[in-house]
């Protein structure tokens, strides 16, 4: 079974700072997902990547398959980025089942 | 609007009283799944379904049932709820096997069993 570890667990930063959240996993995967969960609970899928790098606005996600590691970066952080960020490893089994194993999340607070 | 709809959003019930949490998606997705989220434990998969009439257990299936009679609906059934099933529940869907597509999550159901 895959183990997914995230760091840091909690992060408080000032508005405008560059933010990095890290995710490592123990076995090979088919894809790595980054999710965002705002207070109030709803979950939004930010990225799904199996190699390289993806960018959407101020968010950048990278993955290194050899090192089994992914990072989520936020440039020019803003208080509205305050949320819990969750990484999840996707593994497609021989039967086609696509199970998600989740990290415990990083609670990010951006102060004005 | 493409979405996954869960109902109810909040539910307080008593131990042993059967309940159903509904999940419906309008994106013609084959794959649907249920998760529970608990403090300190994160999200864990309860059950998933790869298509109509095809369901299988996730990591924490005990005490839950599911059915997939139609492609759009994937209800979660608690036959005899217990306090340890107090949790935040999420339904999600995606295109089956195409793992290049991301998941769409419902808004969550906060269940309290007293």
């Amino acid at each position: 079974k895959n183990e997914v570890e995230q760091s840091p667990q909690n992060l408080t930063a000032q508005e405008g700072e560059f933010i990095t959240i890290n995710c490592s996993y123990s076995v090979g995967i088919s894809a790595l997902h980054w999710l965002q969960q705002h207070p109030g609970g709803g979950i939004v899928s930010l990225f799904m990547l199996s190699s390289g790098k993806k960018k959407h606005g101020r968010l950048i996600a990278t993955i290194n398959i050899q090192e089994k590691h992914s990072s989520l970066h936020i440039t020019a952080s803003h208080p509205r980025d305050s949320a819990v960020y969750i990484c999840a490893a996707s593994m497609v089994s021989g039967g086609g089942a696509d199970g998600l194993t989740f990290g415990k999340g990083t609670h990010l607070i951006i102060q004005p | 609007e493409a979405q996954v709809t869960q109902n109810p959003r909040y539910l307080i019930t008593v131990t042993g009283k059967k309940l159903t949490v509904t999940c419906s998606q309008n994106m013609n997705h084959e794959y649907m799944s249920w998760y529970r989220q608990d403090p300190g434990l994160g999200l864990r998969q309860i059950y998933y379904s790869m298509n109509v009439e095809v369901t299988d257990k996730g990591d924490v299936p005990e005490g839950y049932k599911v059915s997939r009679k139609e492609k759009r609906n994937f209800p979660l059934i608690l036959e005899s709820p217990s306090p340890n099933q107090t949790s935040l529940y999420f339904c999600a869907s995606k295109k089956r096997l195409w793992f290049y597509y991301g998941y769409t999550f419902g808004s969550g159901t906060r269940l309290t069993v007293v």
Side-chain angles (χ1 to χ4, degrees):
Chain A
K1 182 164 170 55
N2 213 346
E3 301 287 335
V4 177
E5 299 285 340
Q6 270 186 254
S7 63
Q9 280 189 294
N10 298 284
L11 178 57
T12 300
Q14 294 299 120
E15 183 174 356
E17 286 189 38
F18 182 82
I19 303 298
T20 296
I21 299 170
N22 295 300
C23 177
S24 61
Y25 50 92
S26 57
V27 300
I29 62 173
S30 53
L32 193 289
H33 303 256
W34 283 101
L35 311 172
Q36 180 191 56
Q37 186 174 25
H38 275 288
I43 297 175
V44 173
S45 179
L46 297 175
F47 295 103
M48 180 172 61
L49 62 166
S50 54
S51 64
K53 177 179 173 178
K54 286 190 176 179
K55 184 175 189 292
H56 182 68
R58 295 179 295 104
L59 273 58
I60 303 166
T62 64
I63 189 167
N64 184 317
I65 298 295
Q66 287 74 29
E67 294 187 5
K68 298 186 176 62
H69 181 269
S70 176
S71 293
L72 177 68
H73 305 285
I74 305 175
T75 62
S77 59
H78 189 276
R80 64 175 175 266
D81 297 325
S82 298
V84 177
Y85 293 85
I86 303 167
C87 74
S90 180
M91 298 179 66
V92 179
S93 71
D98 186 4
L100 276 182
T101 302
F102 298 87
K104 290 190 169 52
T106 295
H107 188 193
L108 174 66
I109 298 173
I110 304 296
Q111 295 178 334
Chain B
E1 180 189 352
Q3 60 185 352
V4 175
T5 303
Q6 279 181 242
N7 280 298
R9 289 292 309 275
Y10 302 91
L11 179 59
I12 301 174
T13 191
V14 296
T15 299
K17 185 177 180 182
K18 180 179 178 179
L19 67 92
T20 299
V21 183
T22 64
C23 175
S24 180
Q25 50 93 7
N26 61 0
M27 296 164 283
N28 203 35
H29 285 172
E30 295 85 5
Y31 185 91
M32 297 184 75
S33 56
W34 276 102
Y35 305 91
R36 61 178 289 175
Q37 185 177 36
D38 301 289
L41 297 175
L43 283 152
R44 294 175 292 168
Q45 188 175 47
I46 303 171
Y47 268 96
Y48 63 91
S49 169
M50 290 197 290
N51 215 325
V52 176
E53 302 291 2
V54 181
T55 63
D56 209 345
K57 297 176 182 178
D59 296 321
V60 288
E62 295 79 19
Y64 304 95
K65 283 177 57 177
V66 293
S67 69
R68 188 92 181 272
K69 294 186 172 61
E70 306 164 283
K71 198 172 188 179
R72 62 184 291 124
N73 296 322
F74 189 44
L76 180 70
I77 303 156
L78 285 72
E79 294 268 359
S80 183
S82 63
N84 65 12
Q85 293 178 297
T86 292
S87 187
L88 179 57
Y89 292 86
F90 288 98
C91 178
S93 73
K94 77 174 189 70
K95 295 294 285 183
R96 178 193 171 191
L97 294 183
W98 287 99
F99 48 77
Y100 297 104
Y101 292 91
Y103 286 78
T104 301
F105 285 82
S107 300
T109 295
R110 189 168 292 279
L111 172 66
T112 302
V113 183
V114 298

